[in-house]
Structure formats: C-alpha cells, structure tokens
Amino acid sequence: MPSSRSGKNHRTGSPVPPGPFRTLTPEHPDAFPLLVAFDLDYTLWDLWIDTHVTPPLRRKGDEINQLHDRRGQPLSFYPEVPSILSELKQRRIHIAAASRTSAPELAREALGMLLLHSEGDKIVQAVKYFNTMEIYPGSKLRHFKEIHRKTGIPYDQMLFFDDEHRNFEVESLGVTMQLVPSSGTDRALWAKGLGTWRKRRGIRIGEGAGAEGEGGAPRVGVGEDD
C-alpha cells in the first residue's frame, strides 16, 4: 500500500484517507477504480449455478440475456447489469469475475452463451466483457491475489461486488467491497460502491458535477484484454 495512507476502517480494517479530499469532475479518470470485480451467484444472476441449474443450458436463437436449463430453469443477469458492464467497458475499466462456485465450467459456459446488447446495438457474448475470470472454489483472498498477480493492478484500485459477508476478508488486502443485497446488482448499488471506493481514496466529486458513477468520458489505457 502507498506510504501516504494511514489509519484503518474499524469495521473492515481497510485503509482510510489520512488527509484532505481531492475534488474531481465525474469525467476524470482518477474518479474510477482501475478494476471492478463481480461475484456471480446472487450478484450478477439470481441463483446458485451449482445447485439451481441442471445442464445442458439452452438459448432460443439470439434471445437476449436469457438461458434455460434442462428443466426450464431460467438464467439471466439482473436487469441493470448489462448497462453497468457496458459502461465499465466504455470507460476501459478492467472487469473481473471472482466466484467460488463449485461448478466453474458451467458458470463459464453460461457467460459464453448469454447474449447482451452492446454499443451500437451490437450483440455480444457476456463473457466478452470480462478481462479476467477467477472462477473456482476457495477463499476470495486467493481469487484476488491471482487477479493482482495477473494484472499488476494495486488492490486499492479494485472495487468488488459480492453478496456474502464472509468475503469482506478481501478488504484486508486493500480491496473495497460493496455488499450486494437480495435484489442483486443495479445502478444504484454501482453508484453506492463507487462512492465508498472514492471516499476511501480521498476523492469527491465537485459540486454541480452530476451524479456519481454516470456519464463521463472513456478512460484511456485501462481494462485492455490480457
């Protein structure tokens, strides 16, 4: 961690900014983390893929954001997830998946089969949004150590969305985690997590600059495919 950081968040042990805030515009590249990571189950979709889904998965033609398993169980991202992924991609923020599912191959298959609308009304596989995928059982500490090893991105430049309290352990590394409620990930939660990350980094948005986490120019040189 940078030596200029001091103090800890008493609940999570994560660093808090020691000095005055930096005031940035919503479009400033430094107003966003270099990497945003997502759990899968009950974070991007509303099920446990290792217990609720029975392969094979099927898709009706080019149906958008909808799959079904052998028993007809639907699988789709929460409604606002595609627009969040699209925004992150537009900003060239590195997107990671960090899941401890015991069905990693099925999870990867689902990401490869789900179709989403992209910029210019193009249709893309959901998996194309992810630059890094760590999908296997075990502590999320291992997942994030691997993400850090592969990307070189500092932990304090990572924002993580996950639905399980136990995974706050990643904050011991310097990652900021936003707990996902039963309603899943939506744009309000994205803005909340971003606001928490900004606060810990000593960043605030200037008055009259607009809502946090919306709009803004793409950032350059971040989030390229490995």
Side-chain angles (χ1 to χ4, degrees), residues 168-214:
F168 271 111
E169 65 182 359
V170 301
E171 294 207 333
S172 66
L173 299 173
V175 177
T176 296
M177 178 176 143
Q178 172 61 54
L179 187 67
V180 178
S182 59
S183 55
T185 300
D186 58 19
R187 295 200 67 82
L189 192 73
W190 155 236
K192 182 179 179 181
L194 178 60
T196 300
W197 178 84
R198 286 172 172 170
K199 184 176 181 180
R200 293 181 182 178
R201 294 285 295 166
I203 295 168
R204 62 184 171 193
I205 301 304
E207 292 182 11
E212 288 188 347
E214 297 182 3

Side-chain angles (χ1 to χ4, degrees), residues 99-102 104 108 133-139 142-144 146:
S99 170
R100 67 197 315 159
T101 181
S102 60
R108 288 174 179 271
M133 294 197 297
E134 298 297 321
I135 305 175
Y136 41 78
S139 168
R142 176 187 172 193
H143 293 70
F144 276 88
E146 280 299 298

